[in-house]
Amino acid sequence: VDGNDEPNAMCLTTCSYNIPSARYVLLKEIKDEKFVFYTNYNSHKGKDIESNPNVSILFFWAESQRQIRITGTITKGERKEAEEYFVTRPIDSQIAAMASPQSHEIDINKVLDEIERIVANDQEIKCPEHWGSYHISATEFEFWQGQPARLHDRIVYTYSENLWKIKRIAP
């Protein structure tokens, strides 16, 4: 979308124990009609997904006054897919994925020491077992277009009984 520095940034909302949690992740591709992103499975979001596969993602582009809200279910991708994508990441990002226990309390010096150890020992850089992709299968899309006087245009597509139903809703 024109004028947006990160048009593939999406706010992922997960929920466990009836407490929602939102954070931004980057959409890497749409594959087999599923939205794909990569992360540490042991992270806060990974634990939420493990307990509740229902998620929501939101793309918001302020410059064009547009957003798309998507709800659906999420599953882990194949290991081979994670390994293939991992090697395309910048080397610093690969090392960080190996060294960082994402979302866990840390002593930053221990993480930096681990990074230094990996680099100094010329350790083989490989995709950690706890790192990979998630695939979101959409069950609902809401397209929002900002309009003057807050009379925003909202169109909702809902998947039910093997077909998409379309409706326009009030601003």
Side-chain angles (χ1 to χ4, degrees), residues 20-38:
S21 183
R23 81 287 286 154
Y24 280 89
V25 297
L26 295 179
L27 173 69
K28 289 300 176 181
E29 67 178 318
I30 298 173
K31 181 177 181 180
D32 299 325
E33 299 181 5
K34 296 176 183 169
F35 298 86
V36 179
F37 70 95
Y38 293 82

Side-chain angles (χ1 to χ4, degrees), residues 53-69:
N54 298 301
V55 299
S56 177
I57 54 178
L58 176 72
F59 294 92
F60 177 63
W61 305 289
E63 294 81 1
S64 58
Q65 285 290 293
R66 293 183 182 169
Q67 74 176 22
I68 304 171
R69 184 183 52 81

Side-chain angles (χ1 to χ4, degrees), residues 1-169:
V1 177
D2 291 340
N4 294 280
D5 291 337
E6 290 280 3
N8 60 323
M10 59 185 190
C11 183
L12 170 71
T13 303
T14 57
C15 190
S16 65
Y17 309 109
N18 295 321
I19 300 172
S21 183
R23 81 287 286 154
Y24 280 89
V25 297
L26 295 179
L27 173 69
K28 289 300 176 181
E29 67 178 318
I30 298 173
K31 181 177 181 180
D32 299 325
E33 299 181 5
K34 296 176 183 169
F35 298 86
V36 179
F37 70 95
Y38 293 82
T39 194
N40 183 320
Y41 293 141
N42 296 327
S43 65
H44 184 125
K45 69 182 117 9
K47 296 299 181 192
D48 282 357
I49 290 165
E50 192 175 302
S51 70
N52 181 352
N54 298 301
V55 299
S56 177
I57 54 178
L58 176 72
F59 294 92
F60 177 63
W61 305 289
E63 294 81 1
S64 58
Q65 285 290 293
R66 293 183 182 169
Q67 74 176 22
I68 304 171
R69 184 183 52 81
I70 303 162
T71 57
T73 56
I74 192 166
T75 56
K76 283 183 181 177
E78 298 292 325
R79 181 77 193 140
K80 183 179 182 200
E81 174 185 55
E83 292 169 344
E84 288 172 355
Y85 174 71
F86 190 81
V87 299
T88 70
R89 301 179 82 211
I91 192 72
D92 290 345
S93 297
Q94 293 177 31
I95 293 169
M98 291 175 63
S100 173
Q102 187 178 10
S103 300
H104 292 80
E105 185 175 348
I106 60 164
D107 174 339
I108 190 62
N109 292 320
K110 288 183 180 179
V111 174
L112 295 173
D113 289 346
E114 178 63 10
I115 290 171
E116 189 176 304
R117 186 192 65 74
I118 291 168
V119 173
N121 293 337
D122 203 23
Q123 181 176 333
E124 179 185 3
I125 308 299
K126 62 180 187 175
C127 183
E129 290 294 323
H130 61 265
W131 191 92
S133 66
Y134 281 111
H135 295 228
I136 300 168
S137 299
T139 54
E140 184 175 274
F141 289 84
E142 179 187 327
F143 294 86
W144 175 91
Q145 173 67 61
Q147 298 294 330
R150 301 195 56 81
L151 292 173
H152 310 308
D153 193 16
R154 297 171 66 195
I155 300 173
V156 178
Y157 292 75
T158 306
Y159 192 72
S160 178
E161 300 173 7
N162 292 324
L163 41 110
W164 288 97
K165 296 179 181 176
I166 306 168
K167 63 184 173 185
R168 178 169 264 125
I169 60 176

